[in-house]
Amino acid sequence: MSTAALTLYVDGNCPICMMEVRQLRARDADEKLAFVDIALPSFDPAPLGVSLAALNAQMHAWTAEGECLIGIDALIAAYTLTGRGWLVAPLRVPALRPAARVLYRTFARNRLRVSRWLRVRAAPDCVDGACATKTYGDPRSKP
């Protein structure tokens, strides 16, 4: 069982995603966040009750209470827990949420292509395309 307030399931093959993980981790002094790399060959999504395809389609996160957050809701929670909620405040505006969800899903579908376009490279902690992520507890078990 995770001791973190929020466990994010991220694509370790995505340079932009891993850049974001490093930034969140750097601001997470109280270790409220945990990260699980869904790109690792050993990762098994079955205990989560969500398919790997769904996890790859949009970021998923689970709170310590067991609530599943998807897409922009996961981002809002992560930024808020690291004291940077103001950066994602526009995502909370009801009138903007539908457009934000569409934009996020479009980015998520094209994240590897966007990484190449922006020339974002994998960090040195990435081996064979998968990046090391800090996890708490057993990453295969549902938080």
Side-chain angles (χ1 to χ4, degrees):
M1 184 63 85
S2 174
T3 59
L6 186 70
T7 302
L8 295 116
Y9 290 77
V10 298
D11 179 3
N13 288 330
C14 170
I16 288 177
C17 305
M18 294 313 296
M19 182 176 67
E20 194 64 26
V21 165
R22 285 188 299 280
Q23 290 176 6
L24 284 167
R25 196 181 287 152
R27 290 178 172 80
D28 186 22
D30 296 330
E31 296 187 342
K32 294 178 180 177
L33 303 178
F35 303 93
V36 176
D37 184 347
I38 65 171
L40 292 174
S42 60
F43 175 73
D44 179 13
L48 300 172
V50 178
S51 70
L52 187 57
L55 291 169
N56 269 303
Q58 295 188 76
M59 182 177 19
H60 285 61
W62 270 267
T63 66
E65 295 78 29
E67 179 184 4
C68 179
L69 304 174
I70 301 172
I72 62 171
D73 295 321
L75 290 172
I76 290 169
Y79 274 81
T80 300
L81 284 169
T82 58
R84 311 289 272 182
W86 58 271
L87 286 172
V88 290
L91 300 178
R92 290 189 178 109
V93 176
L96 299 178
R97 285 180 71 79
R101 283 191 172 106
V102 169
L103 290 172
Y104 173 81
R105 283 193 300 264
T106 300
F107 165 77
R109 235 185 355 260
N110 296 289
R111 65 189 178 275
L112 299 176
R113 186 174 302 133
V114 172
S115 292
R116 284 191 302 272
W117 287 339
L118 297 177
R119 296 191 171 144
V120 177
R121 303 271 185 236
D125 59 344
C126 298
V127 179
D128 295 329
C131 300
T133 56
K134 181 177 182 181
T135 60
Y136 300 86
D138 184 352
R140 293 165 296 171
S141 64
K142 192 170 184 176

